[in-house]
Structure formats: structure tokens, C-alpha cells
Amino acid sequence: GTAADSGAIENMLLVALESLFSDTNHRQIRLGILRISLHVLQRSGESLTRGWDPILRLLQSVPDIPDADIVSTAFDSVELLVNEHLDQLPPETQPKGLRMVSAFAKQATVMNVSLSSINLLWSAVDMFGKEAQPMPVQSQSSFPRSVVRSSSSITSEEDAKRIPNRLFYLINVLQELSLDKRPEVRNSGIRSFFAAMVSYGSKFCLEIGRAHV
């Protein structure tokens, strides 16, 4: 169909941009690719299908690059993605988006990007927290404690039906950021972590609440 053909073309073009970004060390080319990705999100974010994966992989690779302009330019896309499109991402793609935002929060090149990323993480907490349902009391004692330890516990279909795994992931990330060596990031992480617990603590089972506190 036309939609499938369009999705295949968008995926092919964005994969080519992603490959070019990873294959070149030319700063201006990388900046140009990041501006193109922002333009794609601005113009076509609401209709993207298969193109999400290459865009997320492209953005995920940026926090490891110690270049303030590249990190800041990429973050424009991150901000737009979370504020306008996070709830539109396919369910299987949302965890990748959350991991990408977490990577920008943890990068050490641009302080303001880290702080702004924590605000985006809080926005995501707020979104998923409002959607999540409290876990039944009878299920609390049998809940696997390992979910508290793991930042990759977003995938189980069974868990997705009975617990807000994305919310748990975000709480874990905020907890990690509350231990960051940078005072500004640490303080922001602590504030956001406790705000999340106060606002959505009723959505956690007793075991997880105790593990975090």
C-alpha cells in the first residue's frame, strides 16, 4: 500500500543519514544531519512510522560525542520528540526513546542539556504516571524485586498489563541521576525523584516503594 511504501522510503532515507553520521567525523556534516533530523520531526513527526528507529539510534549516539554544539543541536530534536511525540511512539519504540533521553541527562559535555533532560524525564514520569494503574494489593508480595535494579525492565507484555514498567524505568534513572557527581545534576535529580515518588507513589507496589526509599 501507499502508507507501507512511504514508510519504507522514509526508513531508507533516515537509515542513510544515520549511517553517514556514524561514518563521518566531519563536524559540519554531523551538524547538518542533526538539523535535517530536526526538520523531519518538525514537518513529519506526526506521520513517522518506520523512521522512528533510525532517528532514535542517531540521537542515541550523540551523548558520547564531546562536542557542545553537536550535543546542543541534537537536543533540539530530543526536546521536540518528548514534548510533541512521546505518546505517539509505537509501544515497542517508547523504551528506546526513554533510554535516549536518559543518555542526554547523563552526558557530561553540556550542563544545561543534562538539566533540561531531567525536566523531560519528569514530563515523561508525569505522562506515564497519570496513565498507570495502582498495582493490586494481593500482587505486591510476589512482585520481582529485580525490576527495581534493572533499567531495561520495560519489555515484558505480562508486566506491562499489571505494572507501569516505563514509570519504574524513569524512577530508576532519576535515582541514578540523584547520585551524579555534578552538584547541579544531582540536586535536580533528587528533586525530580522525590517529586515522582510523592506524585505517583500510590502507583508503586509496597516492595518497590520501600526499595527506593
Side-chain angles (χ1 to χ4, degrees), residues 4 18 29 33 39 67 73 83 86 95 102-103 140 147 155 165 169 173 187-188 208:
E18 176 205 354
I29 292 177
I33 291 171
H39 184 70
D67 184 305
T73 301
N83 289 333
L86 182 59
S102 302
Q140 291 176 0
V147 72
T155 54
N165 275 340
Y169 172 80
V173 171
N187 291 338
S188 182
I208 287 183

Side-chain angles (χ1 to χ4, degrees), residues 95-128:
K96 300 173 186 176
L98 298 180
R99 285 193 290 270
M100 180 266 297
V101 180
S102 302
F104 275 84
K106 294 174 182 177
Q107 59 77 37
T109 303
V110 184
M111 173 70 70
N112 284 341
V113 166
S114 290
L115 297 176
S116 296
S117 296
I118 293 175
N119 290 336
L120 294 180
L121 291 170
W122 165 248
S123 295
V125 166
D126 197 41
M127 185 184 87
F128 291 118

Side-chain angles (χ1 to χ4, degrees), residues 26-44:
H26 195 288
R27 188 167 178 271
Q28 291 305 318
I29 292 177
R30 283 183 158 181
L31 286 169
I33 291 171
L34 291 171
R35 293 186 187 107
I36 292 172
S37 73
L38 176 61
H39 184 70
V40 169
L41 288 176
Q42 290 171 332
R43 293 290 299 271
S44 307

